[in-house]
Amino acid sequence: MNLTLNRTDLIRSESLLDGAWVAASDGRRLEVINPATGDTIGQVPDCSAEDGRAAVDAAQRAFGLFRHTVARDRAALLMRWHALVLANAEDLARLMSLEQGKPLAESRTEVAYGASYISWFAEEAKRGGGDIIPEQHANHRLLVIKQPVGVVAAITPWNFPMAMLARKIAPAIAAGCAVVCKPAEDTPLTALAMAALLQEAGAPAGLVNVLTTSRERAAGLADTWLEDFRVRKISFTGSTPVGKHLARQSADTLKRLSLELGGNAPFIVFEDADLDAAVAGLMVAKFRNAGQTCICPNRVYVHQGVYERFIDKLAARVGSLTIGPATSGAEIGPLINARAVDKVESHLQDALGRGAKIVVGGGRHHCAEAPNGHFFTPTVVADVDASMRMSCEETFGPLVPVTPFSTDEEVIALANDTPYGLAAYFYSRDIDRVWQVAEAIEAGMVAVNDGALSTEIAPFGGIKESGYGREGSRYGLDEYLNIKYIRHGNLAARQPA
Ligand code: NAP
């Protein structure tokens, strides 16, 4: 399978700042590694705090003009970006597979998914109207208008490098905001390619600035944005500890925050479930991106009456998954880096030490085609209990822990016994149970008899320590808008005609 790009100019080696492609001010660079092979596939700037300040200067200038644009023009800009993303979808997908490792089919799906947020918010831009409030006095008029919050800092993770960026930048532009953006150290190339296409679509200089940086410098760069009063909003997708840090550090300037953080999703199979459908749903939800998704099931609870049958069916499917680099057409790619593999392995060892049993898989995978890749064999572990690390922490890998339960009350208590509250899944054909469980589960998103949740038309986001704010849907634009109430008094009182 070929991962070379048709448009090699989409592989950028500089950051986008104030409409220009630039190196870091101190010249530092950072290597981009293919996680399947360990090969260096590019170099990008390792931007500093000083670059971060320059990006806010540029964004603030751009915002001064862009805030006055009309919704129809902002929508048109987004639709031009959308068209360019679709026209270059194959290149974006290949670039993503190269630096992130996910199978090409998944990268293609992500590009289509990310693009759907751009067209969605192009439409929403035209619908973000305000309100007229019925007046209490005949000589008053009361209305509500919505205005862009200002400069937005968008910080994105490596697991969905295209879609996470699109679903922050598109609503920001739709609302009339300017953006400073920092992609993850592991996946800067997809972000820069998206920025290049946005520039090609006609975005004015400084409207969206994308600065790449190393993990070592990430906090220093982001701190300048947290301290800067001109940055009025942070939109962050990433881990809960970093999200809490951002919330603490932005308190002094009271920024608006959208935090899409970590998850620990339960996946419950009741005794009346369609077991084949439940296995199929779990395969989709769990193994996308090799289990490196914030909404992937991290704890699987199966009623004891169907426990053995479910595990047999699941093991047959998991045991047949193919593993390899994106070039091989395999279903499971590498994990993002060596630390990720270490974490999955430590979760497995911890569970085995406490009495859990491997059903299928169980360890690192050596790939002859890519001997330096960070592969882990898809693994099912049975008899997991709540004391094990894989029940309490996000594993972020292709590991399925399965726990038996006997009553609805017991499993709802288990499912909710976590500080996280992002996604939850369950399978049942009992209509009363469906509603009771859907309402009792503490999560921002619940899938009933389905393994998929994400779509641009529905609100994506969590509760508890999975964060706050929603992306996509008709709620997503408001995250980037301030509400202003205007009272016009002392008008001539309305007279009968
Ligand atoms: P992460 O370490 O929190 O990193 C996310 C982003 O924050 C990266 O760009 C990272 O830069 C940056 N960052 C790290 N430390 C920072 C700091 N002190 N200040 C400002 N920015 C900082 O998370 P990750 O490992 O990349 O991603 C996995 C996590 O994201 C998981 O917990 C997953 O559940 C969560 N996630 C959530 C969602 C959702 O929608 N809820 C979606 C996807 C992922 P570097 O890469 O340079 O470190």
Side-chain angles (χ1 to χ4, degrees):
M1 195 175 283
N2 185 359
L3 288 185
T4 52
L5 273 60
N6 297 311
R7 272 189 59 181
T8 47
D9 63 313
L10 287 179
I11 307 177
R12 310 300 302 210
S13 51
E14 291 165 317
S15 289
L16 182 62
L17 201 166
D18 204 9
W21 292 94
V22 298
S25 51
D26 59 5
R28 263 176 63 159
R29 296 187 74 69
L30 142 82
E31 294 199 330
V32 188
I33 308 292
N34 178 340
T37 60
D39 295 342
T40 299
I41 50 174
Q43 281 200 346
V44 293
D46 186 5
C47 290
S48 64
E50 190 184 329
D51 300 314
R53 271 187 290 276
V56 180
D57 293 345
Q60 184 67 16
R61 273 195 303 276
F63 175 61
L65 298 172
F66 197 65
R67 65 187 305 177
H68 300 300
T69 56
V70 296
R72 191 178 53 184
D73 292 345
R74 297 196 297 273
L77 170 61
L78 286 172
M79 286 314 292
R80 289 195 300 274
W81 189 28
H82 179 256
L84 284 166
V85 166
L86 294 189
N88 294 283
E90 185 61 20
D91 277 354
L92 288 169
R94 290 179 184 186
L95 194 55
M96 201 179 344
S97 283
L98 271 175
E99 67 174 347
Q100 205 277 340
K102 66 178 68 177
L104 194 53
E106 288 193 24
S107 292
R108 289 175 178 143
T109 304
E110 181 178 339
V111 173
Y113 171 64
S116 71
Y117 281 90
I118 302 175
S119 55
W120 173 265
F121 281 111
E123 295 299 327
E124 285 297 286
K126 296 179 275 183
R127 299 188 193 115
D131 277 315
I132 294 175
I133 301 173
E135 62 272 11
Q136 291 165 313
H137 306 287
N139 63 346
H140 285 165
R141 296 292 182 274
L142 276 57
L143 53 126
V144 171
I145 64 168
K146 295 184 183 175
Q147 296 182 307
V149 294
V151 174
V152 174
I155 302 177
T156 55
W158 49 263
N159 59 347
F160 290 92
M162 186 271 178
M164 297 302 105
L165 180 130
R167 81 183 189 188
K168 295 183 187 317
I169 292 181
I173 290 178
C177 299
V179 180
V180 291
C181 173
K182 191 207 88 59
E185 175 190 272
D186 298 299
T187 54
L189 295 177
T190 308
L192 293 177
M194 288 291 286
L197 293 173
L198 181 55
Q199 192 183 38
E200 217 170 299
L207 183 68
V208 173
N209 306 273
V210 178
L211 300 188
T212 55
T213 189
S214 64
R215 194 149 284 138
E216 187 193 334
R217 279 185 153 184
L221 174 69
D223 282 353
T224 63
W225 295 347
L226 294 169
E227 289 156 12
D228 195 323
F229 181 79
R230 296 171 300 170
V231 176
R232 295 313 310 146
K233 178 182 173 73
I234 306 274
S235 179
F236 172 74
T237 297
S239 62
T240 293
V242 174
K244 288 181 179 177
H245 167 78
L246 300 180
R248 275 192 294 268
Q249 294 302 111
S250 60
D252 275 349
T253 52
L254 283 183
K255 299 184 199 311
R256 297 269 295 270
L257 286 167
S258 294
L259 300 175
E260 304 281 352
L261 308 179
N264 184 7
F267 187 106
I268 307 170
V269 183
F270 289 96
E271 69 273 30
D272 62 326
D274 175 337
L275 291 193
D276 292 321
V279 169
L282 180 55
M283 295 300 291
V284 170
K286 179 70 208 183
F287 290 105
R288 197 159 46 110
N289 204 8
Q292 301 173 107
T293 72
C294 53
I295 57 170
C296 77
N298 202 51
R299 301 168 289 153
V300 178
Y301 300 111
V302 182
H303 190 272
Q304 59 191 14
V306 292
Y307 187 70
E308 298 298 338
R309 265 200 303 143
F310 181 83
I311 285 185
D312 288 348
K313 285 174 184 280
L314 178 65
R317 291 287 300 275
V318 173
S320 69
L321 287 170
T322 52
I323 311 162
T327 43
S328 70
E331 296 156 292
I332 302 289
L335 301 191
I336 190 69
N337 51 36
R339 285 184 300 142
V341 178
D342 291 345
K343 182 176 182 191
V344 180
E345 187 158 60
S346 72
H347 278 198
L348 181 59
Q349 291 313 320
D350 169 75
L352 297 179
R354 294 166 188 265
K357 292 195 276 297
I358 291 177
V359 179
V360 67
R364 290 167 192 258
H365 173 81
H366 177 76
C367 180
E369 197 179 328
N372 297 322
H374 307 298
F375 297 98
F376 200 92
T377 314
T379 299
V380 177
V381 188
D383 301 346
V384 170
D385 70 38
S387 72
M388 300 172 188
R389 282 182 64 200
M390 60 174 68
S391 294
C392 322
E393 298 172 26
E394 245 185 328
T395 302
F396 238 55
L399 192 60
V400 189
V402 192
T403 304
F405 72 90
S406 47
T407 67
D408 290 19
E409 295 69 30
E410 176 197 1
V411 77
I412 289 168
L414 281 168
N416 289 340
D417 185 19
T418 170
Y420 295 101
L422 188 58
Y425 306 78
F426 68 89
Y427 279 72
S428 168
R429 287 182 283 203
D430 177 325
I431 193 74
D432 291 324
R433 171 182 278 148
V434 162
W435 284 103
Q436 279 157 11
V437 177
E439 289 174 7
I441 291 275
E442 295 169 359
M445 298 173 281
V446 179
V448 185
N449 296 332
D450 204 338
L453 275 164
S454 306
T455 161
E456 80 281 7
I457 63 176
F460 192 103
I463 59 170
K464 295 162 72 177
E465 292 193 9
S466 290
Y468 39 76
R470 292 295 178 269
E471 292 192 315
S473 80
R474 69 185 175 83
Y475 305 100
L477 192 62
D478 281 341
E479 303 280 336
Y480 296 82
L481 292 166
N482 286 330
I483 284 178
K484 183 182 278 178
Y485 151 50
I486 300 177
R487 178 187 180 97
H488 193 160
N490 287 312
L491 296 164
R494 237 188 332 258
Q495 300 291 332

